[in-house]
Amino acid sequence: MPTVAVLPADVADQIAAGEVVERPASAVKELIENALDAGASAVDVEIFEGGRAGVRVSDDGSGMDRADALLALQRHATSKIRRAEDLVGVQSFGFRGEALPAIASVSHLTLHTAAERGPGTAVRVVGGTIERTEEAPRQRGTTVDVTRLFQNVPARLKFMRSARTEWRAVADAVTAIALARPSVHMTLSHDGRRVMTLPPAPTLRARIGAVWGAEYAESLLAVHDTHNATTVTGLVERPSDVGTRARRIHIAVNGRTIRDAGLVRAAEAAYRSTIPAGLRPSLMLELTIPADAVDVNVHPAKAEVRFRERWPTERAVEGAVRRALGVLSSAAAVGPRVWNGGGAGAGLGAPAYEAGPWNGVPPDGGNGSNGDYDPRGAPNGVGAEILRALASRGDPLFEAADAAGAGAADASRGEAATEIAVPPLVQLRRTYLMFEHAEGVVLIDQHSAHERVLYERFMGALEGGSMASQHLLFPLTLHLSAAAADAFDTHRALFSRLGFEAEGFGGHTVVVHSVPSPHPRFDAERCLRETLDALTGDRQPGTAARHERLAATIACKAAIKAGEELSPGEMRSLFVALARTTLPAHDVHGRSTVVRLPWEELERRFGRR
Amino acid sequence: MRFTISREKLQEGLAMVAASIPSKTTLPVLANILIETTDKGIRLSGTDLDIAVSTEVTADVEVAGAVTIPAKKLTEIARELMPSPVKVATAGEQRVTLECGQSKFKLLGIPRDEFPTFPSVRFADAWRIRSADLHQLISHTVFAVSTEESRPILNGVLWELRPDHMRMVATNGHRLAKMDVPIAGGGAGSSDLIVPPKALDQVRRLFPAEEDLEIARGENHLGFRSPLTSVFTRLIEGPYPPYDRVIPRDNDKIAIIDKASLSGALRRMVIVASDQTHRIRMSLNTGMVKFSVQTPDLGEAQDELAIRYTGDPLDIGFNASYLLEILRNMPTEDVRLTFKAPDNAATIEPEGWSDPAKYLCLVMPLRLVD
């Protein structure tokens, strides 16, 4: 007797269904995607008991006639592709012809559809078997009603979580699709109560405003950058906000929401040195890449994709985010309103729905120590952008939230060496520099700003070359503690690249022959001592991390301090040097170097509006 | 107190003292000028507690006394008065009236008791020095002092007084200037003083070159005195670094260069040099020096100059602003530069200088990056 047998079709379908439909949320996702693939402009989702009792998805898409409706319930029946070649560069969400039959095989499903207004078709399926087909009038579109999900799959049923947990997963799945398709009207109700109403939104920012509130949406920074064939758009969190609220991740590739730890890590790498280690920013990024450069047929639920070339894609993401963080509007704002309110679209309602921490993203280990920092690798245009952002009036970049960004950003790339116009600067409390900008009053923390300038300069020296080093007439003799002497020995080669040339003198004594001279008030001995104290016992793994740590420490010790009076010339050169850095608005400890007080805020406080 | 003084004399005296009065101070009386009557007129004094200046001008004294008046207001009034005699009188300890023609002022002063007393310096065994010699020393060295506050000792100028010569040395640890002038019969014994450059600037401003000066040392103050004017300054404590040990004796590569051409080339290079280090490269070859500068993000520049040089080829980096500053103070048309190696100090001296003084400047190189 043969021991190998072909499985009956219904068992095979149940197994396949297990891959595609693992919980109510995945059924909801598949059904909404079908609706969108059918060209729906409005999708209504109703959930009962977290989906355990029922799921209903209605759309106003193209609908089906009777023959198609019946065919659609068969496995591998699809309207979306015809040949294997169509798989390359497939644009629709689905294409496998699996979702609907899979759901049908594990539930009681009613498909109610009409291709035209008028006579429609209603098909009732129980556990994969068509039980009844009848004529039923309907508007153009499709409604899929799913009840008793997994009732015939005890193994799966056992693993269903509480209604509350399943509901959260459904809400997250709907939100993810809502962000990917802002132009589609979507509603979501739970047990008859409307919890989310999302009108068609012109931009991602407007959609985020509808989901999580306008204030949240407006606090995000616009990303818009094209690198080779990859366009990265979206919104990311201002460094000063990171860690102050729930972290949200949304990554979409060609309109498809995916999970990708690599892209998240790349975006996080762009934040390095602007936020404290361990904090993770919220990211809403959409990548547009040529369809043939990405394979979406990797995962049954298509939650992951495979890039033909992963590294350039990650570089593009990192570059785009870094560029977004480099503009003045990324600086912390004073007051409730943010600088760049224009992009959010008017008339956003109050938040309709507040999601918890994002559940759909796997915890990935973005430890920030791999990946190489390269200050020269950052887009050259940043300096020029800042120049305009900081110095000119009515510059288009402030309005370039979504639409105009690409052109302006590209245009500015070639003009890095442009002179930077310096506005009149005033020093306050020997600590802050203040100047007037078209959008309001801007304050610069002189220590933080100088720290950022020196950090990038030291980083440049550590990564590729060395600092100018002034030989001393009278060598410095430092008597160090054992630990500091040890720290010096560990970092000796790096110190030399930074301009500190020294030799041991027996015991823990070090004689320094030459020192860097980053500014005329530089106190080399104190800087070296304090840096060594800070590095004591430091064991950073990896070269890049060690470089960053050393550069940040020395920059902090070498920078001018709060309380030092600056001459007008010094203020100007600090301003120019800051404007030329890649991330001028953030210092190396994750604090702000620049704070903006918008006119609106001043006017509000003076009762002018 | 009551006296009458010409407007010119009043202005002359105020101009001498005003520069020693601090513009910002936490001690209100320091913003005032002290006026005291003397045998021949009045004495005006001001101080910022580091440096004190005092000068005497002729006036008709009717009643002796003393008072302090806000220096800034008094200077402004004196400037705007008609050119007529000015009558000044006190009423009580603080009130001062000032009359000139039809103009009348009443000012509120501060009693003289609150004005700090001047440091006591005994001029009995003073050095006697030609003001011109002192001027020469000051103007050639004071530029090299350190402005950075971590080593206060380098914020002063070392002044070595010897029986037959005196020397001033100033350095910021990167470059150094040193000058010696012979003196005839200085007076008191040898002494090493570290003097704040601000005081030396005052000395240069207040004492005309043709005057003879008396200089005397108190416990930690130094006094300069001419018949009418005196300047007192706090001295900086501590041993000056052993500068003599770092002045190279064995620099074997010698270049004679036209100062104006050298300055011109350096000024051209510095335009493209980094704002922070002003780093330029000099490549010396027989009969020729090439300059070059490369600054990332900015660009590069080259220049060259015919010179007198016969040593081995040498590439060496410098902070061009240090070189330019030194050249600005070189008294001759040609300068003599000596080198040893890219890590060793270079010297610059006047070439063919007939003056009895001796002048030497020294610059530490910058590390070159290839």
Side-chain angles (χ1 to χ4, degrees), chain A residues 457 466-474 496-497 499 501 517-518 520-523, chain B residues 148 150 171 173-174 176 241-243 246 276-277 279 322 343 362 364-367 369:
Chain A
R457 202 173 288 152
S466 56
M467 294 281 286
S469 178
Q470 170 72 55
H471 290 281
L472 294 176
L473 206 47
F474 311 108
S496 163
R497 273 194 239 167
E501 281 184 358
S517 60
R521 300 162 195 234
F522 180 66
D523 182 347
Chain B
E148 186 239 314
S150 61
T171 179
H174 302 165
L176 176 146
Y243 70 90
V246 301
Q276 284 75 39
T277 57
R279 177 169 55 184
Y322 287 158
D343 290 340
L362 182 158
M364 291 304 284
L366 281 174
R367 181 171 70 180
V369 179

mmCIF file of all heavy atoms in Angstrom, chain A residues 457 466-474 496-497 499 501 517-518 520-523, chain B residues 148 150 171 173-174 176 241-243 246 276-277 279 322 343 362 364-367 369:
data_model
loop_
_atom_site.group_PDB
_atom_site.id
_atom_site.type_symbol
_atom_site.label_atom_id
_atom_site.label_comp_id
_atom_site.label_asym_id
_atom_site.label_seq_id
_atom_site.Cartn_x
_atom_site.Cartn_y
_atom_site.Cartn_z
ATOM 1 N N ARG A 457 34.297 67.914 12.068
ATOM 2 C CA ARG A 457 35.676 68.103 11.625
ATOM 3 C C ARG A 457 36.569 66.973 12.165
ATOM 4 O O ARG A 457 37.375 66.395 11.448
ATOM 5 C CB ARG A 457 36.172 69.462 12.124
ATOM 6 C CG ARG A 457 37.324 70.005 11.322
ATOM 7 C CD ARG A 457 37.663 71.409 11.750
ATOM 8 N NE ARG A 457 36.671 72.382 11.331
ATOM 9 C CZ ARG A 457 36.423 73.510 11.974
ATOM 10 N NH1 ARG A 457 37.076 73.801 13.074
ATOM 11 N NH2 ARG A 457 35.515 74.345 11.528
ATOM 12 N N SER A 466 43.956 63.715 8.709
ATOM 13 C CA SER A 466 44.355 64.175 10.023
ATOM 14 C C SER A 466 44.144 65.666 10.123
ATOM 15 O O SER A 466 44.017 66.362 9.132
ATOM 16 C CB SER A 466 45.812 63.822 10.280
ATOM 17 O OG SER A 466 46.593 64.374 9.259
ATOM 18 N N MET A 467 44.122 66.137 11.363
ATOM 19 C CA MET A 467 43.949 67.558 11.628
ATOM 20 C C MET A 467 45.288 68.255 11.513
ATOM 21 O O MET A 467 46.339 67.646 11.702
ATOM 22 C CB MET A 467 43.476 67.748 13.073
ATOM 23 C CG MET A 467 42.128 67.220 13.390
ATOM 24 S SD MET A 467 40.843 68.313 12.817
ATOM 25 C CE MET A 467 40.961 69.658 14.004
ATOM 26 N N ALA A 468 45.230 69.541 11.273
ATOM 27 C CA ALA A 468 46.426 70.348 11.373
ATOM 28 C C ALA A 468 46.898 70.274 12.819
ATOM 29 O O ALA A 468 46.094 70.236 13.731
ATOM 30 C CB ALA A 468 46.133 71.782 10.996
ATOM 31 N N SER A 469 48.195 70.236 12.985
ATOM 32 C CA SER A 469 48.720 70.075 14.321
ATOM 33 C C SER A 469 49.842 71.079 14.536
ATOM 34 O O SER A 469 50.765 71.173 13.746
ATOM 35 C CB SER A 469 49.237 68.645 14.461
ATOM 36 O OG SER A 469 49.787 68.462 15.717
ATOM 37 N N GLN A 470 49.708 71.847 15.609
ATOM 38 C CA GLN A 470 50.687 72.896 15.880
ATOM 39 C C GLN A 470 51.761 72.365 16.822
ATOM 40 O O GLN A 470 51.459 71.919 17.926
ATOM 41 C CB GLN A 470 49.980 74.096 16.512
ATOM 42 C CG GLN A 470 50.883 75.161 17.059
ATOM 43 C CD GLN A 470 51.563 75.972 15.967
ATOM 44 O OE1 GLN A 470 50.910 76.539 15.101
ATOM 45 N NE2 GLN A 470 52.897 76.003 15.981
ATOM 46 N N HIS A 471 53.013 72.394 16.366
ATOM 47 C CA HIS A 471 54.102 72.000 17.269
ATOM 48 C C HIS A 471 54.236 73.039 18.372
ATOM 49 O O HIS A 471 54.063 74.230 18.132
ATOM 50 C CB HIS A 471 55.410 71.899 16.499
ATOM 51 C CG HIS A 471 55.444 70.747 15.559
ATOM 52 N ND1 HIS A 471 55.681 69.460 15.963
ATOM 53 C CD2 HIS A 471 55.233 70.683 14.228
ATOM 54 C CE1 HIS A 471 55.624 68.648 14.927
ATOM 55 N NE2 HIS A 471 55.354 69.363 13.851
ATOM 56 N N LEU A 472 54.536 72.552 19.570
ATOM 57 C CA LEU A 472 54.601 73.452 20.716
ATOM 58 C C LEU A 472 56.032 73.835 21.038
ATOM 59 O O LEU A 472 56.941 73.015 20.974
ATOM 60 C CB LEU A 472 53.993 72.771 21.946
ATOM 61 C CG LEU A 472 52.506 72.483 21.878
ATOM 62 C CD1 LEU A 472 52.077 71.718 23.122
ATOM 63 C CD2 LEU A 472 51.734 73.787 21.754
ATOM 64 N N LEU A 473 56.189 75.082 21.405
ATOM 65 C CA LEU A 473 57.476 75.585 21.840
ATOM 66 C C LEU A 473 57.856 74.950 23.178
ATOM 67 O O LEU A 473 58.979 74.537 23.392
ATOM 68 C CB LEU A 473 57.330 77.101 21.997
ATOM 69 C CG LEU A 473 58.499 78.029 21.859
ATOM 70 C CD1 LEU A 473 59.307 77.699 20.648
ATOM 71 C CD2 LEU A 473 57.959 79.457 21.750
ATOM 72 N N PHE A 474 56.866 74.891 24.064
ATOM 73 C CA PHE A 474 57.089 74.283 25.380
ATOM 74 C C PHE A 474 56.192 73.063 25.477
ATOM 75 O O PHE A 474 54.991 73.200 25.691
ATOM 76 C CB PHE A 474 56.737 75.264 26.494
ATOM 77 C CG PHE A 474 57.349 76.607 26.309
ATOM 78 C CD1 PHE A 474 56.566 77.693 25.946
ATOM 79 C CD2 PHE A 474 58.717 76.789 26.476
ATOM 80 C CE1 PHE A 474 57.131 78.942 25.753
ATOM 81 C CE2 PHE A 474 59.279 78.041 26.281
ATOM 82 C CZ PHE A 474 58.490 79.125 25.919
ATOM 83 N N SER A 496 46.735 60.989 17.509
ATOM 84 C CA SER A 496 47.699 61.556 16.580
ATOM 85 C C SER A 496 47.002 62.108 15.343
ATOM 86 O O SER A 496 47.324 63.179 14.848
ATOM 87 C CB SER A 496 48.717 60.483 16.197
ATOM 88 O OG SER A 496 49.405 60.880 15.047
ATOM 89 N N ARG A 497 45.986 61.363 14.857
ATOM 90 C CA ARG A 497 45.257 61.871 13.700
ATOM 91 C C ARG A 497 44.513 63.158 14.024
ATOM 92 O O ARG A 497 44.297 63.991 13.166
ATOM 93 C CB ARG A 497 44.259 60.834 13.211
ATOM 94 C CG ARG A 497 44.891 59.866 12.237
ATOM 95 C CD ARG A 497 43.832 59.088 11.527
ATOM 96 N NE ARG A 497 44.020 57.676 11.786
ATOM 97 C CZ ARG A 497 43.106 56.757 11.509
ATOM 98 N NH1 ARG A 497 41.959 57.116 10.997
ATOM 99 N NH2 ARG A 497 43.340 55.499 11.753
ATOM 100 N N GLY A 499 45.691 65.366 15.915
ATOM 101 C CA GLY A 499 46.645 66.451 16.073
ATOM 102 C C GLY A 499 47.407 66.435 17.384
ATOM 103 O O GLY A 499 48.289 67.252 17.598
ATOM 104 N N GLU A 501 50.222 64.959 19.261
ATOM 105 C CA GLU A 501 51.367 64.067 19.123
ATOM 106 C C GLU A 501 52.099 64.031 20.442
ATOM 107 O O GLU A 501 52.474 65.061 20.989
ATOM 108 C CB GLU A 501 52.286 64.547 17.993
ATOM 109 C CG GLU A 501 51.716 64.146 16.656
ATOM 110 C CD GLU A 501 52.607 64.504 15.490
ATOM 111 O OE1 GLU A 501 53.667 65.117 15.729
ATOM 112 O OE2 GLU A 501 52.229 64.172 14.371
ATOM 113 N N SER A 517 44.715 72.982 16.793
ATOM 114 C CA SER A 517 44.294 74.309 17.247
ATOM 115 C C SER A 517 43.007 74.680 16.540
ATOM 116 O O SER A 517 43.001 75.406 15.565
ATOM 117 C CB SER A 517 45.380 75.353 17.038
ATOM 118 O OG SER A 517 45.724 75.469 15.706
ATOM 119 N N PRO A 518 41.910 74.139 17.043
ATOM 120 C CA PRO A 518 40.625 74.354 16.386
ATOM 121 C C PRO A 518 40.100 75.779 16.539
ATOM 122 O O PRO A 518 39.281 76.210 15.759
ATOM 123 C CB PRO A 518 39.693 73.361 17.081
ATOM 124 C CG PRO A 518 40.323 73.103 18.400
ATOM 125 C CD PRO A 518 41.791 73.277 18.227
ATOM 126 N N PRO A 520 41.184 79.891 18.556
ATOM 127 C CA PRO A 520 42.248 80.587 19.286
ATOM 128 C C PRO A 520 42.176 80.399 20.800
ATOM 129 O O PRO A 520 43.183 80.550 21.475
ATOM 130 C CB PRO A 520 42.023 82.058 18.927
ATOM 131 C CG PRO A 520 41.206 82.052 17.696
ATOM 132 C CD PRO A 520 40.395 80.797 17.724
ATOM 133 N N ARG A 521 41.008 80.078 21.354
ATOM 134 C CA ARG A 521 40.946 79.937 22.814
ATOM 135 C C ARG A 521 41.141 78.501 23.265
ATOM 136 O O ARG A 521 40.887 78.171 24.407
ATOM 137 C CB ARG A 521 39.584 80.386 23.315
ATOM 138 C CG ARG A 521 39.279 81.806 22.981
ATOM 139 C CD ARG A 521 37.782 81.994 23.117
ATOM 140 N NE ARG A 521 37.390 83.213 22.481
ATOM 141 C CZ ARG A 521 36.699 84.158 23.075
ATOM 142 N NH1 ARG A 521 36.309 83.996 24.310
ATOM 143 N NH2 ARG A 521 36.388 85.259 22.442
ATOM 144 N N PHE A 522 41.527 77.661 22.347
ATOM 145 C CA PHE A 522 41.619 76.242 22.644
ATOM 146 C C PHE A 522 42.643 75.982 23.745
ATOM 147 O O PHE A 522 43.780 76.442 23.658
ATOM 148 C CB PHE A 522 42.009 75.504 21.368
ATOM 149 C CG PHE A 522 42.146 74.024 21.546
ATOM 150 C CD1 PHE A 522 41.039 73.261 21.846
ATOM 151 C CD2 PHE A 522 43.367 73.399 21.389
ATOM 152 C CE1 PHE A 522 41.151 71.890 21.995
ATOM 153 C CE2 PHE A 522 43.488 72.036 21.529
ATOM 154 C CZ PHE A 522 42.377 71.282 21.835
ATOM 155 N N ASP A 523 42.231 75.272 24.772
ATOM 156 C CA ASP A 523 43.122 74.908 25.869
ATOM 157 C C ASP A 523 43.455 73.427 25.725
ATOM 158 O O ASP A 523 42.718 72.555 26.161
ATOM 159 C CB ASP A 523 42.415 75.196 27.198
ATOM 160 C CG ASP A 523 43.298 74.900 28.395
ATOM 161 O OD1 ASP A 523 44.347 74.245 28.207
ATOM 162 O OD2 ASP A 523 42.942 75.320 29.504
ATOM 163 N N GLU B 148 45.064 83.486 25.152
ATOM 164 C CA GLU B 148 44.298 82.370 25.678
ATOM 165 C C GLU B 148 44.583 82.271 27.171
ATOM 166 O O GLU B 148 45.707 82.529 27.615
ATOM 167 C CB GLU B 148 44.751 81.108 24.933
ATOM 168 C CG GLU B 148 43.964 79.882 25.247
ATOM 169 C CD GLU B 148 44.867 78.829 25.803
ATOM 170 O OE1 GLU B 148 45.954 78.604 25.243
ATOM 171 O OE2 GLU B 148 44.474 78.252 26.817
ATOM 172 N N SER B 150 44.545 79.866 29.516
ATOM 173 C CA SER B 150 44.895 78.684 30.296
ATOM 174 C C SER B 150 46.273 78.795 30.948
ATOM 175 O O SER B 150 46.530 78.158 31.957
ATOM 176 C CB SER B 150 44.829 77.444 29.414
ATOM 177 O OG SER B 150 45.749 77.563 28.359
ATOM 178 N N THR B 171 55.482 85.245 24.094
ATOM 179 C CA THR B 171 55.166 84.045 23.316
ATOM 180 C C THR B 171 53.783 83.539 23.698
ATOM 181 O O THR B 171 53.277 83.826 24.781
ATOM 182 C CB THR B 171 56.197 82.921 23.566
ATOM 183 O OG1 THR B 171 55.826 81.778 22.806
ATOM 184 C CG2 THR B 171 56.238 82.527 25.035
ATOM 185 N N GLY B 173 53.373 80.192 23.021
ATOM 186 C CA GLY B 173 53.637 78.761 22.954
ATOM 187 C C GLY B 173 53.760 78.234 21.535
ATOM 188 O O GLY B 173 54.168 77.094 21.326
ATOM 189 N N HIS B 174 53.361 79.038 20.562
ATOM 190 C CA HIS B 174 53.474 78.631 19.166
ATOM 191 C C HIS B 174 54.511 79.472 18.433
ATOM 192 O O HIS B 174 55.142 79.035 17.499
ATOM 193 C CB HIS B 174 52.141 78.785 18.432
ATOM 194 C CG HIS B 174 51.029 77.990 19.051
ATOM 195 N ND1 HIS B 174 49.719 78.203 18.747
ATOM 196 C CD2 HIS B 174 51.038 76.987 19.961
ATOM 197 C CE1 HIS B 174 48.954 77.366 19.428
ATOM 198 N NE2 HIS B 174 49.736 76.635 20.188
ATOM 199 N N LEU B 176 57.267 83.124 19.107
ATOM 200 C CA LEU B 176 57.913 83.893 20.163
ATOM 201 C C LEU B 176 58.615 85.092 19.544
ATOM 202 O O LEU B 176 59.105 85.014 18.415
ATOM 203 C CB LEU B 176 58.917 82.990 20.882
ATOM 204 C CG LEU B 176 59.823 83.539 21.982
ATOM 205 C CD1 LEU B 176 60.053 82.466 23.034
ATOM 206 C CD2 LEU B 176 61.159 84.026 21.444
ATOM 207 N N PRO B 241 58.394 80.457 31.389
ATOM 208 C CA PRO B 241 58.982 79.207 30.866
ATOM 209 C C PRO B 241 60.396 79.427 30.324
ATOM 210 O O PRO B 241 60.739 80.537 29.917
ATOM 211 C CB PRO B 241 58.024 78.787 29.752
ATOM 212 C CG PRO B 241 56.992 79.826 29.639
ATOM 213 C CD PRO B 241 57.144 80.807 30.742
ATOM 214 N N PRO B 242 61.214 78.400 30.345
ATOM 215 C CA PRO B 242 62.618 78.542 29.941
ATOM 216 C C PRO B 242 62.747 78.738 28.433
ATOM 217 O O PRO B 242 63.107 77.827 27.699
ATOM 218 C CB PRO B 242 63.235 77.218 30.383
ATOM 219 C CG PRO B 242 62.111 76.245 30.375
ATOM 220 C CD PRO B 242 60.873 77.009 30.697
ATOM 221 N N TYR B 243 62.465 79.972 28.025
ATOM 222 C CA TYR B 243 62.391 80.240 26.587
ATOM 223 C C TYR B 243 63.733 80.077 25.906
ATOM 224 O O TYR B 243 63.829 79.726 24.740
ATOM 225 C CB TYR B 243 61.836 81.655 26.352
ATOM 226 C CG TYR B 243 62.802 82.733 26.754
ATOM 227 C CD1 TYR B 243 63.717 83.233 25.844
ATOM 228 C CD2 TYR B 243 62.822 83.225 28.051
ATOM 229 C CE1 TYR B 243 64.630 84.202 26.219
ATOM 230 C CE2 TYR B 243 63.727 84.176 28.441
ATOM 231 C CZ TYR B 243 64.633 84.669 27.521
ATOM 232 O OH TYR B 243 65.546 85.598 27.897
ATOM 233 N N VAL B 246 64.577 76.841 24.125
ATOM 234 C CA VAL B 246 63.900 76.421 22.902
ATOM 235 C C VAL B 246 64.323 77.247 21.686
ATOM 236 O O VAL B 246 63.897 76.970 20.577
ATOM 237 C CB VAL B 246 62.361 76.466 23.055
ATOM 238 C CG1 VAL B 246 61.926 75.561 24.190
ATOM 239 C CG2 VAL B 246 61.868 77.887 23.272
ATOM 240 N N GLN B 276 40.798 78.248 10.440
ATOM 241 C CA GLN B 276 41.217 77.929 11.798
ATOM 242 C C GLN B 276 42.736 77.907 11.936
ATOM 243 O O GLN B 276 43.289 78.460 12.863
ATOM 244 C CB GLN B 276 40.674 76.559 12.225
ATOM 245 C CG GLN B 276 39.213 76.585 12.569
ATOM 246 C CD GLN B 276 38.349 76.669 11.312
ATOM 247 O OE1 GLN B 276 38.657 76.034 10.314
ATOM 248 N NE2 GLN B 276 37.303 77.452 11.366
ATOM 249 N N THR B 277 43.412 77.241 11.008
ATOM 250 C CA THR B 277 44.841 77.033 11.206
ATOM 251 C C THR B 277 45.692 77.882 10.284
ATOM 252 O O THR B 277 46.875 78.012 10.502
ATOM 253 C CB THR B 277 45.199 75.567 10.957
ATOM 254 O OG1 THR B 277 44.782 75.227 9.638
ATOM 255 C CG2 THR B 277 44.492 74.655 11.934
ATOM 256 N N ARG B 279 46.897 77.153 7.578
ATOM 257 C CA ARG B 279 48.039 76.312 7.262
ATOM 258 C C ARG B 279 48.478 76.469 5.811
ATOM 259 O O ARG B 279 47.692 76.310 4.892
ATOM 260 C CB ARG B 279 47.717 74.847 7.523
ATOM 261 C CG ARG B 279 48.866 73.930 7.122
ATOM 262 C CD ARG B 279 48.666 72.539 7.622
ATOM 263 N NE ARG B 279 47.400 71.991 7.192
ATOM 264 C CZ ARG B 279 46.977 70.789 7.589
ATOM 265 N NH1 ARG B 279 47.704 70.084 8.427
ATOM 266 N NH2 ARG B 279 45.832 70.326 7.168
ATOM 267 N N TYR B 322 50.827 83.692 11.700
ATOM 268 C CA TYR B 322 51.970 83.924 12.593
ATOM 269 C C TYR B 322 53.130 84.560 11.820
ATOM 270 O O TYR B 322 53.776 85.494 12.292
ATOM 271 C CB TYR B 322 52.433 82.604 13.215
ATOM 272 C CG TYR B 322 51.513 82.053 14.290
ATOM 273 C CD1 TYR B 322 51.542 80.704 14.607
ATOM 274 C CD2 TYR B 322 50.649 82.873 14.999
ATOM 275 C CE1 TYR B 322 50.716 80.173 15.600
ATOM 276 C CE2 TYR B 322 49.821 82.359 15.988
ATOM 277 C CZ TYR B 322 49.853 81.007 16.287
ATOM 278 O OH TYR B 322 49.044 80.499 17.263
ATOM 279 N N ASP B 343 59.851 69.505 11.793
ATOM 280 C CA ASP B 343 59.270 69.507 13.132
ATOM 281 C C ASP B 343 59.916 70.523 14.051
ATOM 282 O O ASP B 343 59.539 70.646 15.205
ATOM 283 C CB ASP B 343 59.432 68.118 13.778
ATOM 284 C CG ASP B 343 58.554 67.086 13.099
ATOM 285 O OD1 ASP B 343 57.595 67.502 12.427
ATOM 286 O OD2 ASP B 343 58.842 65.889 13.244
ATOM 287 N N LEU B 362 60.532 83.546 16.478
ATOM 288 C CA LEU B 362 60.582 82.099 16.324
ATOM 289 C C LEU B 362 59.166 81.593 16.075
ATOM 290 O O LEU B 362 58.221 82.077 16.674
ATOM 291 C CB LEU B 362 61.152 81.564 17.631
ATOM 292 C CG LEU B 362 61.400 80.109 17.858
ATOM 293 C CD1 LEU B 362 62.439 79.992 18.958
ATOM 294 C CD2 LEU B 362 60.142 79.434 18.285
ATOM 295 N N MET B 364 56.907 77.908 15.587
ATOM 296 C CA MET B 364 56.837 76.450 15.528
ATOM 297 C C MET B 364 56.023 76.067 14.296
ATOM 298 O O MET B 364 54.998 76.690 14.005
ATOM 299 C CB MET B 364 56.167 75.888 16.787
ATOM 300 C CG MET B 364 56.994 76.047 18.055
ATOM 301 S SD MET B 364 58.633 75.323 17.947
ATOM 302 C CE MET B 364 58.250 73.584 18.109
ATOM 303 N N PRO B 365 56.469 75.026 13.596
ATOM 304 C CA PRO B 365 55.758 74.650 12.364
ATOM 305 C C PRO B 365 54.432 73.939 12.659
ATOM 306 O O PRO B 365 54.182 73.511 13.779
ATOM 307 C CB PRO B 365 56.729 73.710 11.655
ATOM 308 C CG PRO B 365 57.616 73.193 12.719
ATOM 309 C CD PRO B 365 57.674 74.214 13.815
ATOM 310 N N LEU B 366 53.611 73.815 11.634
ATOM 311 C CA LEU B 366 52.411 72.990 11.676
ATOM 312 C C LEU B 366 52.736 71.679 10.981
ATOM 313 O O LEU B 366 53.476 71.655 10.010
ATOM 314 C CB LEU B 366 51.268 73.660 10.910
ATOM 315 C CG LEU B 366 50.498 74.782 11.597
ATOM 316 C CD1 LEU B 366 49.521 75.388 10.599
ATOM 317 C CD2 LEU B 366 49.725 74.253 12.786
ATOM 318 N N ARG B 367 52.112 70.611 11.472
ATOM 319 C CA ARG B 367 52.319 69.321 10.831
ATOM 320 C C ARG B 367 51.733 69.352 9.413
ATOM 321 O O ARG B 367 50.627 69.835 9.213
ATOM 322 C CB ARG B 367 51.612 68.247 11.654
ATOM 323 C CG ARG B 367 51.772 66.862 11.099
ATOM 324 C CD ARG B 367 51.241 65.858 12.089
ATOM 325 N NE ARG B 367 49.783 65.925 12.189
ATOM 326 C CZ ARG B 367 49.071 65.131 13.001
ATOM 327 N NH1 ARG B 367 49.674 64.265 13.789
ATOM 328 N NH2 ARG B 367 47.775 65.224 13.042
ATOM 329 N N VAL B 369 50.248 67.514 6.087
ATOM 330 C CA VAL B 369 49.516 66.294 5.754
ATOM 331 C C VAL B 369 49.716 66.031 4.277
ATOM 332 O O VAL B 369 49.560 66.933 3.464
ATOM 333 C CB VAL B 369 48.012 66.470 6.052
ATOM 334 C CG1 VAL B 369 47.277 65.204 5.675
ATOM 335 C CG2 VAL B 369 47.818 66.788 7.509
#
